[in-house]
Amino acid sequence: MSRFLKEQYQKLEAYTPGEQPRDMAYIKLNTNESPFPPAPSVVAAMTARQVEDLRLYSDPTAKGLREKLAGLYQVAPENIFLSNGSDDILNFAFMAWGQKGALFPDITYGFYPVFAELHGVEYLELPLKSDFSINKEDYLYRNKLIVITNPNAPTGMSMDLSAIEEIIRTNPESPVVIDEAYVDFGGISCYPLIEKYENLLVVRTFSKSRCLAGGRLGYAIGAKELIADLEKIKYSTNPYNINRLTMLLGEATVDAEDYYQEKCREIIRVRQQTAARLRELGFTVLPSDANFIFAKSGRICGEKLYFELKKRGILVRHFTKERIREFNRITIGTEAQMEKFCNTVAEILEEQA
Ligand code: PMP
């Protein structure tokens, strides 16, 4: 740290992204990426001409992609905001609407407290219930910025739409942000509620179910006024926040909806298979609607299992937070990868015995 850093950032603890080691070829089950490539039509959309056109700035209004997404969700283009990954949108949300403080669960996406600290937003981390579900009552009539991941991460567990609606309805004086990064793997989206509530922002990403994590593309659906707030911040920081190639690939992605739905069904199938196998091996596996499962063994501690898997070329995500340190979050890969994963876990357990 230099002596020039603004005082307010000196104590900031930055977010630690999942590791991306390059020392060997790992089976990467640690950052919830898709094991599948983008649709063939998306790959074909990238031409030499498109690369040459990089000399030109991208469209700051993202008109084409916005209209395509608006068509997909049957909303107006003014209900859609596009950004450089959904992290960008979450950052903007804390920046824009954190003045009365923020609430989110104690076990959820680890970036929320970092955004809160970054923007000087006071926040409370409300404990999940003992079964790791979100306690709806904690969020009623609070009128602070509320951020809920649904399905939650790293648990994978969904909250009922009726509970989400009650939270939105009882907090009319502040935005409720529902982060649906993983909703396509079996959750139910609450985006139709934007018609009814002007305080709802639904945040989505192309990084998981749309196989485009490296493209960095996220979007939000919400009331026009909320979207206008986000636009204001975007135009005050980085108007060309999405590069031309990503915008092009994003449009081709929306056109290839069938391909992605099929891949989601495949992930769900392999998730069920993997969870069943882990349960046979004595694991507790939380019910997941995401492209990962959260599991703990009674026979080996979470951290040890993480290291033993890494030694054998398989990466999963381990969190050191007290309540979840016995667990690992395991991204669902291809069927072959998950078979290798389960066999390796079985070997490790046998060696332990
Ligand atoms: N929300 C949640 C819950 C996530 O797990 C992630 C991925 N780490 C993101 C948002 C951000 O995704 P991206 O910026 O790639 O869209």
Side-chain angles (χ1 to χ4, degrees):
M1 182 166 60
S2 85
R3 64 200 158 86
F4 308 112
L5 187 64
K6 240 185 176 178
E7 209 179 312
Q8 76 183 90
Y9 299 136
Q10 288 178 11
K11 290 207 183 86
L12 183 67
E13 257 191 64
Y15 176 69
T16 313
E19 59 193 321
Q20 308 284 356
R22 306 281 182 228
D23 58 329
M24 60 184 264
Y26 288 95
I27 294 184
K28 251 188 116 275
L29 309 178
N30 69 327
T31 46
N32 299 340
E33 291 142 323
S34 175
F36 304 115
S41 56
V42 173
V43 177
M46 176 82 80
T47 61
R49 173 67 198 273
Q50 301 294 345
V51 179
E52 282 167 20
D53 280 351
L54 284 178
R55 71 194 170 77
L56 302 168
Y57 281 110
S58 55
D59 170 11
T61 69
K63 187 168 182 288
L65 182 52
R66 227 177 178 189
E67 284 175 355
K68 272 195 194 290
L69 284 170
L72 184 66
Y73 293 109
Q74 295 292 295
V75 297
E78 295 76 26
N79 293 123
I80 304 276
F81 178 76
L82 278 146
S83 201
N84 187 283
S86 58
D87 280 338
D88 228 18
I89 303 174
L90 297 164
N91 179 36
F92 288 2
F94 278 89
M95 201 190 290
W97 304 312
Q99 69 272 23
K100 287 189 272 181
L103 302 175
F104 41 84
D106 62 339
I107 311 286
T108 191
Y109 186 29
F111 222 143
Y112 302 153
V114 180
F115 291 134
E117 297 279 350
L118 179 67
H119 301 300
V121 172
E122 280 182 30
Y123 63 97
L124 282 175
E125 296 176 289
L126 303 170
L128 295 182
K129 291 193 214 169
S130 57
D131 65 356
F132 292 102
S133 63
I134 292 175
N135 188 8
K136 172 192 80 177
E137 311 296 327
D138 285 345
Y139 298 87
L140 303 181
Y141 302 101
R142 301 299 298 266
N143 286 313
K144 292 177 187 295
L145 172 64
I146 290 170
V147 187
I148 289 177
T149 310
N150 192 47
N152 197 10
T155 63
M157 289 167 62
S158 283
M159 194 176 195
D160 277 357
L161 270 201
S162 61
I164 288 184
E165 181 164 5
E166 202 176 340
I167 292 170
I168 301 164
R169 184 174 53 75
T170 57
N171 290 283
E173 295 310 316
S174 52
V176 176
V177 174
I178 305 294
D179 181 347
E180 293 189 343
Y182 300 105
V183 77
D184 295 322
F185 302 101
I188 300 177
S189 177
C190 69
Y191 86 85
L193 295 176
I194 69 151
E195 298 259 328
K196 228 164 130 186
Y197 299 100
E198 59 180 23
N199 61 329
L200 167 63
L201 189 84
V202 181
V203 178
R204 311 279 297 254
T205 179
F206 280 66
S207 295
K208 318 293 177 183
S209 63
R210 267 52 190 172
C211 316
L212 217 55
R216 312 304 303 126
L217 186 58
Y219 61 104
I221 315 172
K224 293 175 186 174
E225 293 76 11
L226 290 183
I227 300 299
D229 294 348
L230 298 174
E231 291 286 349
K232 186 174 210 167
I233 294 184
K234 181 187 98 169
Y235 277 93
S236 308
T237 50
N238 183 7
Y240 306 108
N241 64 341
I242 303 166
N243 77 70
R244 294 179 71 94
L245 297 179
T246 292
M247 226 178 291
L248 174 88
L249 300 185
E251 286 184 39
T253 298
V254 179
D255 288 338
E257 189 58 19
D258 291 351
Y259 170 90
Y260 293 102
Q261 291 202 4
E262 193 239 304
K263 295 301 176 211
C264 288
R265 284 194 294 274
E266 174 65 5
I267 295 285
I268 292 169
R269 186 183 71 79
V270 175
R271 177 183 74 211
Q272 284 161 349
Q273 215 169 272
T274 308
R277 180 87 195 276
L278 285 182
R279 287 190 182 109
E280 276 166 28
L281 291 170
F283 278 75
T284 302
V285 184
L286 299 190
S288 170
D289 282 324
N291 66 340
F292 54 83
I293 47 180
F294 204 47
K296 72 170 178 182
S297 163
R299 290 159 65 189
I300 182 168
C301 83
E303 192 174 26
K304 176 115 206 287
L305 179 59
Y306 158 80
F307 278 118
E308 292 298 324
L309 283 165
K310 187 170 178 183
K311 269 203 279 189
R312 293 163 175 82
I314 300 177
L315 281 181
V316 297
R317 185 96 194 245
H318 179 256
F319 300 91
T320 51
K321 216 171 196 177
E322 189 53 38
R323 255 186 109 176
I324 52 171
R325 54 183 308 143
E326 290 310 316
F327 284 81
N328 279 292
R329 190 194 68 191
I330 303 136
T331 304
I332 302 301
T334 60
E335 184 164 23
Q337 286 177 326
M338 298 323 283
E339 206 174 303
K340 169 97 178 133
F341 164 78
C342 290
N343 292 340
T344 308
V345 169
E347 275 166 35
I348 294 169
L349 291 179
E350 240 160 64
E351 278 174 27
Q352 292 296 300

